[in-house]
Amino acid sequence: MEELGLRRPQAALLDLARTALQEDVGRGDVTSLLTIAEETQARARFVAREALVVSGLKVARAVFFEAGGEEKLSFAALTSEGVRVPVGAVLAEIEGLARPILAAERVSLNLLMHLSGIATLTNRYVEAVDGTGVRIVDTRKTTPGLRLAEKAAVRVGGSMNHRFGLDDGILIKDNHLALIGDVAEAVRRVRTKAPHLLKIEVEVESLEALKAALLAGVDAVLLDNMSPEEVHRCVELVRKERPGTLVEVSGGIDLWNIRSYAEAGPDLISVGALTHSASSVDISLEVEPC
Amino acid sequence: MEELGLRRPQAALLDLARTALQEDVGRGDVTSLLTIAEETQARARFVAREALVVSGLKVARAVFFEAGGEEKLSFAALTSEGVRVPVGAVLAEIEGLARPILAAERVSLNLLMHLSGIATLTNRYVEAVDGTGVRIVDTRKTTPGLRLAEKAAVRVGGSMNHRFGLDDGILIKDNHLALIGDVAEAVRRVRTKAPHLLKIEVEVESLEALKAALLAGVDAVLLDNMSPEEVHRCVELVRKERPGTLVEVSGGIDLWNIRSYAEAGPDLISVGALTHSASSVDISLEVEPC
Amino acid sequence: MEELGLRRPQAALLDLARTALQEDVGRGDVTSLLTIAEETQARARFVAREALVVSGLKVARAVFFEAGGEEKLSFAALTSEGVRVPVGAVLAEIEGLARPILAAERVSLNLLMHLSGIATLTNRYVEAVDGTGVRIVDTRKTTPGLRLAEKAAVRVGGSMNHRFGLDDGILIKDNHLALIGDVAEAVRRVRTKAPHLLKIEVEVESLEALKAALLAGVDAVLLDNMSPEEVHRCVELVRKERPGTLVEVSGGIDLWNIRSYAEAGPDLISVGALTHSASSVDISLEVEPC
Amino acid sequence: MEELGLRRPQAALLDLARTALQEDVGRGDVTSLLTIAEETQARARFVAREALVVSGLKVARAVFFEAGGEEKLSFAALTSEGVRVPVGAVLAEIEGLARPILAAERVSLNLLMHLSGIATLTNRYVEAVDGTGVRIVDTRKTTPGLRLAEKAAVRVGGSMNHRFGLDDGILIKDNHLALIGDVAEAVRRVRTKAPHLLKIEVEVESLEALKAALLAGVDAVLLDNMSPEEVHRCVELVRKERPGTLVEVSGGIDLWNIRSYAEAGPDLISVGALTHSASSVDISLEVEPC
Amino acid sequence: MEELGLRRPQAALLDLARTALQEDVGRGDVTSLLTIAEETQARARFVAREALVVSGLKVARAVFFEAGGEEKLSFAALTSEGVRVPVGAVLAEIEGLARPILAAERVSLNLLMHLSGIATLTNRYVEAVDGTGVRIVDTRKTTPGLRLAEKAAVRVGGSMNHRFGLDDGILIKDNHLALIGDVAEAVRRVRTKAPHLLKIEVEVESLEALKAALLAGVDAVLLDNMSPEEVHRCVELVRKERPGTLVEVSGGIDLWNIRSYAEAGPDLISVGALTHSASSVDISLEVEPC
Amino acid sequence: MEELGLRRPQAALLDLARTALQEDVGRGDVTSLLTIAEETQARARFVAREALVVSGLKVARAVFFEAGGEEKLSFAALTSEGVRVPVGAVLAEIEGLARPILAAERVSLNLLMHLSGIATLTNRYVEAVDGTGVRIVDTRKTTPGLRLAEKAAVRVGGSMNHRFGLDDGILIKDNHLALIGDVAEAVRRVRTKAPHLLKIEVEVESLEALKAALLAGVDAVLLDNMSPEEVHRCVELVRKERPGTLVEVSGGIDLWNIRSYAEAGPDLISVGALTHSASSVDISLEVEPC
């Protein structure tokens, strides 16, 4: 559960909940307001309709907190972030006034289904490289507005996070090099001016580029769009020439080929699909009077 | 192209762009600021790396507009929303200062890839029911913060939109009925107090429930989790008992079974997967000096 | 009291209260801060200084909630929304620290007096058509920033609400027709693309226009600026040609002529004056030490 | 025209316009988006449907500016703030894309009608005291969110403004005195700590209270709820005892009795009705293709 | 303690705390989140590392309130605003979860050290004029975003506040006069239109300018950049020609010459350095497990 | 000039300008609005009233940009960021409408004087270590709300930036260690979970602690509150035991002792005073008609 806390200040959770509720509720939940009496109480349960790895409980809780306003809704998590649950598992139970529960239903489901989808998919990637010692990391290919939540779901699924944004790590990519021309010069510029707690990584697409990067003294290299064999040759070079340098692999990696890449021996494999192509998992909210 | 305008006031586009840029850029794009000179000019092209239906051009344009600030970046769309393009197609071209182009790269790609993914998937659903006269509609199962953009992508893909939120349509669902008990009473309450331009729809899960709903005089019924055969029987009942009533189908519908549902004769089929489970399509931004 | 809840999510109430307090308090209530000790306690009562229909209690409560901050002020409503009270009636009582009570005084009064003014005026209109079966509805002629609150006051006064905005109902008005030219074409465009839970209404200013609208198959017609006799003829036509179609009347209607219009038999009469020309009713806040 | 600028920074105008548009347009102007082509151009004119004193042109202009976004709408004012115009006068003309013009129609009208209503009513009060040398001032009884705009309309109508909030003037009222007990002590506390550019005014309801206030050395007195005769006696006392002290009158003043109060000789008469009870004046927006 | 409340509505305190925390915490306090368990409790103490006059306790408390979120942190002030404490004094004690305490550490210290720095410096100025009867006042030379907090610290240090902004006092300065040319005309324009509770002050840089200002009938004069002797001559003129007029002195005043200025007899001396050049005082936060 | 761009996205500049203007202008610049005609044009010049290193030109420009609104003010910088100018130097020239120029005067001066004060002080520190090869860096002891601007001023003055917040670098400080107890364990936890582009620094206060940190394999050490001699011993140990490790020194460093610390051979010296105790430098804005 602790995992969830990583880089997710509570204020950000509530802001996300508020924005999402505004978007869905608009000027009011007409149906519920007209059909359900103000004082009606209800109990609701999130039920997994397929096997899944749970993520998003704190966000869902924030949605009910926001929706409930002064009339607090109780929210009891019945499992924890990162737990793999079977079909039919009850993830959490909410009790309180029916109207705010119904107003929060769709928004909380959208978040839980999306984030658990990411954790579930991530988990499959993690299992695919089990035993190789390679770490799976995410990318910045996240849904605008949901980066912190999605990156938390990735951790919950067992992976690590790459940069959170353009400001907490230096990664010189192909587009930079297309404009600068020279790795050595790029690294030099960065080294003299960047805050000293940020490492420097360079994207390379060939063995020659790798050699130049190592010569420039980078902290990490990103091998992009290579075959497992090419990765293997690059890893050997790095281990020999500049041992401490981290090796990350990315590009065209999926559940079917990731193990070959992992066995090529890099430190990290980054997978955009964890966040940009995870399907929602199926969860429902069952409401009953109480 | 006109489609895009539907329910997407420009201010909302710019707000989305601003939020997404803040999330990604944070305190600044350190790599570019340290490696690329302030006055460096660049040209960039969005290139489709798979066949796809284009959506998100206006959003992408807004991202570059925001990133460019006073120093305007030019953005030329080379195709239109809803066009199906082959691998290698250039979707748009940007010119101007290199730094803002690089700062906008990831955010604009994240949006274009996500929204084109939705349009592309939607298009496959639309084709699957071709000739049946049934309309595909989306749901409220959208990504929090992106509802308007995703619903625009659905239209671009050839479908129609269902409700935009809890306030622009009345849909009495199973959870309401669990709390009220009685369809007739629910409909009565709504009819006497709701704004007169909102229609009333009721979710039904059986023939009996359908009969009660028709008797209550609703404008539309939502047949949830039925087989195509059950849908067919329901449609026949509706056409006979209360002809003008709209029939919508939902629940468990995918690309493989949707045609059977369509042939059962409903007016609309709503598909949550259009927005909650579309994978991103692959698009890259290629930058070069100029 | 339940009425109040309709379409007024609590967060919106607090936002309104905060904005209004900021506007009035600015950088601080200098007079109270300099003359009243921080720990001074007070009791305050809202007293009706004329007969009125109460509306705005929840908004007023939100103002004291916001002003009180951590040091909660107690707020006890002594009557309910929609009740007609005589001169001298005490509407609510507040207790707590004197400074926040004084800071909230003017803002809460401004809202209570304005909203009760609307409820009181609305009530007079409702009584004027008593027994005719016609419903009074409001319009979008509301005060910018207060639409939800004013529309709640209208309901409290006994009327119903028309559209809440440009997005929750389709109303093709004279200005649209001036640009399109053809009702039939306008209705056709709307019908194929609009969300299926929104009804379509068309404004008509003559019998010919009415016929065209009915032919186009609209859900409702708005008869604008007609005499009661013309309305009567139109109603007869509608009832005969397309029975289910709703008939709304607007334009030049006041307390003196509304009964004639009501007796002409329409379903709804919309009255802009309910919100754009209601005078505030007189209420005072009496503060005493405690 | 210059008048309008007073205390109305442009940013505040645009914020008001944006808020009001969001409230009305919501998720989009469905009717216009579906019936009017994106490229359709239109011309629109604000036409006075009754004689009125114009106010709100800058606000209306801001609404069209916001609605137009990148595709600027031209806005030409054909008259000026504070001008009295006859029925049929054209106040301003707008040209540009039809959709944003239609989206801005209701909001701009709501503001123009409301603010011109205030200017028109204010003007009647000003004329009622013509020649007496008394100044009419407004109060803080304004519509939440619109204070600056309404106070500008009051100036446009020929009156002056009282305090803009609780922070730009010191006014010790009955509720303060109920808690402090002693005018002299209250004034003393204020004088030693308040910023030296703020004057001190005290509300008095009797001749005795007036004497105490004058003794305490206040800069202004507010005579509340007195008859014209009582006001006269108070004015005489002030002129004799402490000549430079300003005398303001308030409470129960309307168009029928204001002249009697003015002839009693005070410096200022404050009238809450200017802002809290002005009816909207009738203005229409006529749109045509171009 | 009461002083602090002046013009510092609680909502503003929390907004300041939230903004400052966002700026410092960004996407999360990585170090603490990774090293400290979620449930770890801690106790922390603010300790003065030099003698100082305390200011900023309420702001610091707001920072911990915001950082703590639902899991409230206890905050006990052990001294009061305005108290002069020796090295080693404990200003306040916080208890609760370690993570939010650590997240709030730097921000709360930055505010406490800055505001106590202002109060401490102000206090030295106040002592420098002790016994002369002159009041020290601050200026608008404050740090953007912190004006209210800094002006509260000035009061806490024993001085009074000048204007809080351009809207709560009228001060005609050299730049106005450079554009208008004529003091008399400027004062006349202001007097006929300004809210009657705002006083009028004019900046003068010579005896001639002073005479013109007094003739125009201003409420206060600001003698800028004069020597103590010049100030003395001006004060004598004012006392003789227009006794009630306030005399303020500013320009080039520091701790070494302020007494000479004070002895020249003005009512007020305004010192920009109080806010624009106060160094932070040294305070530390000592954290221990509990 | 390029420097300024680092980590200062333009949107942030405009937000800062807007906030600062709102704080100062409030409900309007009464003095200017009443004394200066709307159409009056003016020219203004920022003049250095002491020798200083320029910083803040882009922020000042943003203030005039915001204040000018639609009626653009021209802003011509006559020098560049980081230039040392003599008394009397003109830093920039503005032309346009007088009212917005006057409204922006104080805010732009407050920012320019504050930021140039930081650049000027920083520059003195940089000169003090000239030739030693040591880098001066700033800290997180910045003014809440101004961190990005102040850190830009530090760069302009010739130093480098340390962390921008708690999220872009890992620094295990005394308070963390007080709660964890064990450096080795802390470093281990961080290394397995932190994003791989963030380096790890540990604060040490003794030679023993330093040894433990080196053993744990950190990327950098922060020597806190040591004498130059102790620093020297520590540096020798680091260079011998773990050469690549960065050595940073902090605590009790001022202009008088910094050279001794620099000569002890660390890589970096961090100085809180750069931002928390820099006095404003003196700059004026001279306005004239044109």
Side-chain angles (χ1 to χ4, degrees), chain E residues 24 35 140 147 166 189, chain F residues 24 35 140 147 166 189:
Chain E
D24 191 40
T35 57
R140 284 166 44 241
R147 181 164 293 171
L166 290 167
R189 287 188 202 167
Chain F
D24 192 41
T35 57
R140 284 167 43 244
R147 181 165 292 172
L166 290 167
R189 286 187 204 167

Side-chain angles (χ1 to χ4, degrees), chain A residues 67-128:
Chain A
E70 270 180 82
E71 313 293 346
K72 298 287 182 292
L73 302 172
S74 79
F75 182 102
L78 302 182
T79 180
S80 298
E81 295 287 308
V83 172
R84 174 182 293 276
V85 300
V87 183
V90 179
L91 311 184
E93 198 170 279
I94 298 98
E95 267 191 54
L97 290 176
R99 284 183 180 179
I101 290 178
L102 290 168
E105 173 181 357
R106 187 71 264 144
V107 165
S108 56
L109 277 171
N110 284 351
L111 286 162
L112 258 186
M113 290 166 63
H114 180 67
L115 297 172
S116 297
I118 289 173
T120 304
L121 180 62
T122 299
N123 203 248
R124 295 183 61 194
Y125 275 92
V126 171
E127 285 175 358

Side-chain angles (χ1 to χ4, degrees), chain A residues 23-24 27-28 30-32 35 105-106 110 140 142 145 147 166-167 171 175-176 189 276 280 285 287, chain B residues 23-24 27-28 31-32 35 105-106 110 140 142 145 147 165-167 171 175-176 189 276 280 285 287:
Chain A
E23 184 184 55
D24 192 39
R27 304 191 187 87
V30 208
T31 313
S32 301
T35 57
E105 173 181 357
R106 187 71 264 144
N110 284 351
R140 285 167 42 244
T142 56
R147 181 165 291 171
L166 290 167
D167 57 351
L171 179 41
N175 280 336
H176 295 102
R189 286 187 204 167
H276 74 52
S280 283
L285 184 76
V287 180
Chain B
E23 184 183 56
D24 192 40
R27 303 190 188 88
T31 313
S32 301
T35 58
E105 173 180 357
R106 187 71 264 143
N110 284 353
R140 283 166 44 241
T142 57
R147 181 164 293 170
L166 290 166
D167 58 350
L171 179 42
N175 281 335
H176 295 101
R189 287 189 204 166
H276 73 54
S280 282
L285 185 75
V287 179

Side-chain angles (χ1 to χ4, degrees), chain C residues 86-105:
Chain C
V87 183
V90 179
L91 309 185
E93 197 170 280
I94 298 99
E95 267 192 55
L97 289 176
R99 284 182 180 180
I101 290 178
L102 290 168
E105 173 180 357

Side-chain angles (χ1 to χ4, degrees), chain E residues 1 5 68 76 86 88 98 111 119 131 197-198 205 238 272 274 278 280-281 286:
Chain E
M1 197 82 150
L111 287 162
L197 291 185
L198 297 184
E205 297 181 333
V238 172
L274 300 186
S280 282
V281 289
E286 299 178 356

Side-chain angles (χ1 to χ4, degrees), chain A residues 8-30:
Chain A
R8 294 250 359 100
Q10 192 185 37
L13 280 177
L14 292 177
D15 281 351
L16 174 55
R18 190 172 305 128
T19 303
L21 281 168
Q22 269 177 344
E23 184 184 55
D24 192 39
V25 178
R27 304 191 187 87
D29 175 0
V30 208

Side-chain angles (χ1 to χ4, degrees), chain D residues 14 77 84 95 115 137 143 152 180 211 227:
Chain D
L14 292 177
R84 173 182 294 277
E95 266 191 55
L115 297 173
V137 294
T143 315
I180 312 166
K211 285 173 188 165
S227 67

Side-chain angles (χ1 to χ4, degrees), chain C residues 16 19-20 23-32 34-37 40-43 49 98 102-107 110-111 113-114 140-148 150 163-176 178-180 186-187 189-191 193-195 198 225 276-282 285-290, chain D residues 16 19-20 23-32 34-37 40-43 49 98 102-107 110-111 113-114 140-148 150 163-176 178-180 186-187 189-191 193-195 198 225 276-282 285-290:
Chain C
L16 173 56
T19 304
E23 184 184 57
D24 191 40
V25 178
R27 304 190 187 89
D29 176 0
V30 208
T31 313
S32 300
L34 291 176
T35 56
I36 314 283
T40 305
Q41 300 277 325
R43 176 181 304 115
R49 287 163 65 157
L102 290 168
E105 173 180 357
R106 186 72 264 143
V107 165
N110 285 352
L111 287 162
M113 289 164 65
H114 179 68
R140 285 167 42 242
K141 297 182 180 177
T142 56
T143 316
L146 296 181
R147 181 166 293 172
L148 290 184
E150 293 183 348
R163 289 193 293 177
F164 276 70
L166 290 167
D167 58 352
D168 66 342
I170 295 168
L171 179 42
I172 303 171
K173 305 192 73 171
D174 53 347
N175 280 336
H176 295 102
L179 295 171
I180 313 167
V187 172
R189 287 188 203 168
V190 163
R191 198 176 300 287
K193 299 208 171 160
L198 296 185
N225 288 319
H276 73 53
S277 293
S279 296
S280 282
V281 289
D282 200 1
L285 185 76
E286 298 178 357
V287 180
E288 61 182 28
C290 75
Chain D
L16 173 56
T19 304
E23 184 183 58
D24 191 40
V25 178
R27 305 191 187 88
D29 175 1
V30 208
T31 313
S32 300
L34 291 176
T35 57
I36 313 283
T40 306
Q41 299 277 326
R43 177 181 304 115
R49 286 163 65 158
L102 289 168
E105 174 181 355
R106 185 73 265 143
V107 165
N110 285 351
L111 286 161
M113 288 165 65
H114 180 67
R140 285 167 43 242
K141 298 182 180 177
T142 57
T143 315
L146 295 181
R147 180 165 295 172
L148 290 184
E150 292 183 349
R163 290 193 291 176
F164 276 70
L166 289 167
D167 58 351
D168 66 341
I170 295 167
L171 178 43
I172 302 171
K173 304 191 73 171
D174 53 349
N175 280 335
H176 294 102
L179 296 171
I180 312 166
V187 172
R189 288 188 203 167
V190 163
R191 198 177 300 287
K193 299 206 171 163
L198 297 185
N225 287 319
H276 73 53
S277 293
S279 295
S280 283
V281 289
D282 200 2
L285 185 76
E286 298 178 357
V287 180
E288 60 182 29
C290 75

